[in-house]
């Protein structure tokens, strides 16, 4: 049973606009959430994280929002750039032990 | 350069022939983990290790073994590979000080025929 879900397999956005990637989880014990970016033929790269004591974390063009009551997190990329085109995975864990990943969303930023 | 190194990058083998995929990290990380990536299923954790001599099962441990005798190495062993273990495998490491963000290796594409 998938504990972390990314319901959109793909997303296309114009360069300069906002990209919003969504992730839902089912386990209320999860207290740490991460986003990874993956290019073809490479391993995933850690992008940004958030702990359950926060509802927002920013790092440059990337912001992660956490809504604990809805068990939902999202990644906002503003402005989107062609180099952001990649597959994005969200992941969640309880106490930083076993990490559960979503199935990924393929983002295409159109120049 | 801080990195996680997996070998080999590509491997084709036959059913039942034991194999080992090596993983080494040079960042002195306590945590190490193995994942497999399959279409439509995302990344699934096979085994993880919190420190030397401490390992635990992830989501899909059947058919795999691991060991953590040294902090830097975390090999993945397939004692008797089967075609359903054909997949893309990633090793990753992390330390609490990095905010639990894993550093991943470049992956091992395994095909079992």
């Amino acid at each position: 049973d998938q504990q972390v879900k990314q319901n959109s397999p793909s997303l296309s956005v114009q360069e300069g606009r906002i990209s919003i990637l969504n992730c839902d989880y089912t386990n209320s014990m999860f207290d740490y959430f991460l986003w990874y970016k993956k290019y073809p033929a490479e391993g995933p790269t850690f992008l940004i994280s958030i702990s359950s004591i926060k509802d927002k974390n920013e790092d440059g063009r990337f912001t992660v929002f956490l809504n604990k009551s809805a068990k939902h997190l999202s990644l906002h990329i503003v402005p989107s750039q062609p180099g952001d085109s990649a597959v994005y995975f969200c992941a969640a864990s309880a106490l930083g032990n076993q990490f559960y990943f979503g199935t990924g969303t393929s983002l295409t930023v159109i120049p | 350069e801080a990195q996680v190194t997996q070998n080999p990058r590509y491997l084709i083998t036959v059913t039942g022939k034991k194999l080992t995929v090596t993983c080494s990290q040079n960042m002195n990380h306590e945590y190490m983990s193995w994942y497999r990536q399959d279409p439509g299923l995302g990344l699934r954790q096979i085994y993880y290790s919190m420190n030397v001599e401490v390992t635990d099962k992830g989501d899909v441990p059947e058919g795999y073994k691991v060991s953590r005798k040294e902090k830097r190495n975390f090999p993945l062993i397939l004692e008797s590979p089967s075609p359903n273990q054909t997949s893309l495998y990633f090793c990753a490491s992390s330390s609490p000080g990095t905010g639990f963000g894993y550093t991943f290796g470049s992956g091992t594409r395994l095909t079992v025929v």
Side-chain angles (χ1 to χ4, degrees), chain A residues 46-97:
Chain A
F46 170 67
L47 201 53
I48 192 168
S49 64
I50 188 167
S51 74
S52 58
I53 62 172
K54 292 181 153 187
D55 54 19
K56 177 182 172 181
N57 189 25
E58 252 179 290
D59 185 1
R61 297 186 296 112
F62 302 91
T63 303
V64 56
F65 295 92
L66 176 62
N67 182 334
K68 289 185 287 293
S69 60
K71 294 192 182 69
H72 177 84
L73 68 155
S74 61
L75 175 68
H76 292 209
I77 307 173
V78 184
S80 301
Q81 299 173 354
D84 296 329
S85 297
V87 177
Y88 290 79
F89 291 97
C90 66
S93 81
L95 304 176
N97 293 341

Side-chain angles (χ1 to χ4, degrees), chain B residues 59-79:
Chain B
D59 239 358
V60 288
E62 294 79 20
Y64 304 94
K65 282 175 59 177
V66 293
S67 68
R68 188 93 182 272
K69 294 184 171 55
E70 307 163 281
K71 199 171 188 179
R72 63 183 291 124
N73 295 323
F74 191 44
L76 180 69
I77 303 156
L78 285 73
E79 295 269 1

Side-chain angles (χ1 to χ4, degrees), chain B residues 5 8-10 12 18 25-26 28 32 37 47 49 51-52 57 66 100 109:
Chain B
T5 303
R9 287 294 307 273
Y10 302 93
I12 301 174
K18 181 180 178 180
Q25 51 96 1
N26 62 0
N28 202 36
M32 295 188 76
Q37 184 185 4
Y47 269 94
S49 169
N51 216 321
V52 176
K57 295 177 181 178
V66 293
F100 294 107
R109 172 74 65 181

Side-chain angles (χ1 to χ4, degrees), chain B residues 67-107:
Chain B
S67 68
R68 188 93 182 272
K69 294 184 171 55
E70 307 163 281
K71 199 171 188 179
R72 63 183 291 124
N73 295 323
F74 191 44
L76 180 69
I77 303 156
L78 285 73
E79 295 269 1
S80 182
S82 62
N84 65 11
Q85 292 178 296
T86 292
S87 187
L88 179 58
Y89 292 86
F90 290 102
C91 179
S93 73
S94 176
S95 171
T98 63
F100 294 107
Y102 272 101
T103 300
F104 280 82
S106 300

